[in-house]
Amino acid sequence: AVEACLYAQYAGNVVVNGGTYTSTNNFVIGTNGSSNRGGNTITVNGGTFNGGITTAGYVACGIYVANSDTVVVNGGTFNVVNGVGVLARSGNTTVNNGVVFNVSGNNTGKIGDSRVVVPAGEALVLDLAADYPAGLPTIVNNTEYEVATVISTYEQLNAANGHVVLGADIDCGTHDIVYASDVTIDLNGYDITFDGWGFEVRNGATLTINGNGNISAVEACLYAQYAGNVVVNGGTYTSTNNFVIGTNGSSNRGGNTITVNAGTFNCGIITEGYIACGIYVANSDTVVVNGGTFNVVNGVGIIARSGNTTIGEDVVINVTADVVEGRIGDSQIVLPGPYAIVLDFASAYPGGEPVVVNNGSYLVFNFGD
């Protein structure tokens, strides 16, 4: 079919035990999200399901669950070009071991009549942002494939676990967000705003951020302590009154890792007597900056007070200032500026003396050596 091969509404039931099904411009099997069209069941025991898309702004889908439906996928092979395997926007979906998903695509697009865009290339997508009439969806995932969850509220972001995708701008207000388990955030072109501190990662957890979008905070956008780990692969980050990414210099809060592969990092300062900072390395941390552009007004690009910091040749650091000195963090040391990279021996933080491996073109200013 051009649109869906198999479609249930008003308490319809579909059982698939075999065959090959190809939809060239929509989902292959699915339901309708409008009120009073739910109560459907779909059971897939076998078959081959091929999905594609031709309409601009949309992505393809194997199974589309949009109402108060019960969907059980026991078997089958889903070949979806530029789309997703299963998208759940309401109802209860169970995907069991033995189902095969071959999905492709690295863009985003709409499915059905929702304005929420979802990422192509995902086997299983749980969409909490669409807010369909039948209530929030669930997925029982008994497979090896990861579930990507589309979110749109602070509460959903705060409770995130695993892989989440923004489906709207999220204003966190004065709340920060602390993760103690692994989370991957795909910004998906949207913004996250904090009126204070941003994301904190701790207890061996890893926060990975992908895609284009903006994260802004008054204090740090990304902050690791107690063996937290941060990986940044893209996005724009703005801190208006502190460092953009950093760690805590207090005893027993080290062992963190920060890896920056790409992104734009903007920072400034408001508090009198202080200067801004792009990356703040304050403990027994390992920081690797492979890429990214740092735009720092009235401050320094990267300061190392402890740990081991490596700066790659492709990193860009733009530092401008009309404030020539000030404090950073909780150290009483007054630092001169502007400098791209500062190696601070004077603060004598508990994590030990800092080390900087500089593979870039910017000079390192040794302070207090």
Side-chain angles (χ1 to χ4, degrees):
V2 174
E3 305 267 353
C5 292
L6 303 169
Y7 181 55
Q9 59 179 335
Y10 302 112
N13 307 293
V14 174
V15 179
V16 184
N17 295 316
T20 298
Y21 305 81
T22 301
S23 293
T24 57
N25 195 32
N26 208 327
F27 55 82
V28 184
I29 309 173
T31 63
N32 187 304
S34 301
S35 297
N36 304 317
R37 297 196 187 189
N40 311 288
T41 68
I42 294 173
T43 305
V44 178
N45 296 314
T48 300
F49 307 90
N50 306 311
I53 200 74
T54 57
T55 301
Y58 285 78
V59 295
C61 178
I63 299 179
Y64 180 61
V65 189
N67 219 307
S68 56
D69 310 311
T70 300
V71 175
V72 179
V73 190
N74 294 313
T77 297
F78 292 81
N79 304 309
V80 183
V81 177
N82 196 26
V84 304
V86 175
L87 172 62
R89 281 183 164 151
S90 276
N92 299 286
T93 301
T94 300
V95 185
N96 289 318
N97 191 32
V99 182
V100 176
F101 292 100
N102 301 309
V103 293
S104 66
N106 56 10
N107 62 317
T108 60
K110 295 180 289 185
I111 295 175
D113 57 3
S114 173
R115 310 307 297 177
V116 174
V117 297
V118 300
E122 300 289 343
L124 305 172
V125 177
L126 183 70
D127 185 359
L128 305 181
D131 194 25
Y132 269 29
L136 292 177
T138 64
I139 290 182
V140 176
N141 178 22
N142 297 319
T143 77
E144 62 190 33
Y145 300 97
E146 185 181 60
V147 176
T149 303
V150 182
I151 61 173
S152 61
T153 68
Y154 160 76
E155 291 77 13
Q156 292 166 354
L157 183 62
N158 188 49
N161 188 27
H163 183 190
V164 297
V165 180
L166 297 191
D169 295 336
I170 297 178
D171 187 348
C172 299
T174 58
H175 303 287
D176 61 350
I177 290 178
V178 179
Y179 289 142
S181 59
D182 293 351
V183 176
T184 297
I185 299 174
D186 187 339
L187 295 175
N188 200 22
Y190 291 104
D191 301 342
I192 303 172
T193 305
F194 297 90
D195 291 338
W197 290 85
F199 291 100
E200 177 191 323
V201 191
R202 55 169 61 194
N203 298 350
T206 300
L207 171 62
T208 303
I209 302 182
N210 300 322
N212 297 316
N214 299 282
I215 295 178
S216 61
V218 175
E219 305 270 356
C221 293
L222 304 170
Y223 180 56
Q225 60 177 339
Y226 302 111
N229 308 292
V230 173
V231 179
V232 182
N233 294 319
T236 299
Y237 305 80
T238 302
S239 293
T240 55
N241 195 34
N242 209 327
F243 55 82
V244 184
I245 309 173
T247 62
N248 187 305
S250 301
S251 297
N252 304 317
R253 297 197 187 188
N256 311 287
T257 69
I258 294 172
T259 305
V260 177
N261 295 314
T264 300
F265 306 89
N266 308 309
C267 63
I269 200 72
I270 299 172
T271 303
E272 186 175 352
Y274 286 78
I275 58 177
C277 177
I279 299 181
Y280 181 62
V281 188
N283 218 308
S284 56
D285 310 313
T286 300
V287 176
V288 179
V289 190
N290 294 314
T293 298
F294 294 81
N295 302 309
V296 182
V297 178
N298 292 331
V300 300
I302 298 169
I303 183 169
R305 281 181 163 153
S306 278
N308 296 279
T309 301
T310 301
I311 302 166
E313 63 181 356
D314 296 326
V315 178
V316 177
I317 304 175
N318 302 311
V319 182
T320 59
D322 52 26
V323 175
V324 295
E325 64 178 17
R327 293 162 53 193
I328 297 174
D330 57 2
S331 173
Q332 298 302 308
I333 298 294
V334 176
L335 290 163
Y339 289 100
I341 304 166
V342 174
L343 190 58
D344 179 9
F345 295 100
S347 294
Y349 269 30
E353 284 198 348
V355 175
V356 170
V357 177
N358 179 24
N359 297 315
S361 59
Y362 301 95
L363 296 178
V364 177
F365 176 71
N366 292 340
F367 183 77
D369 185 9

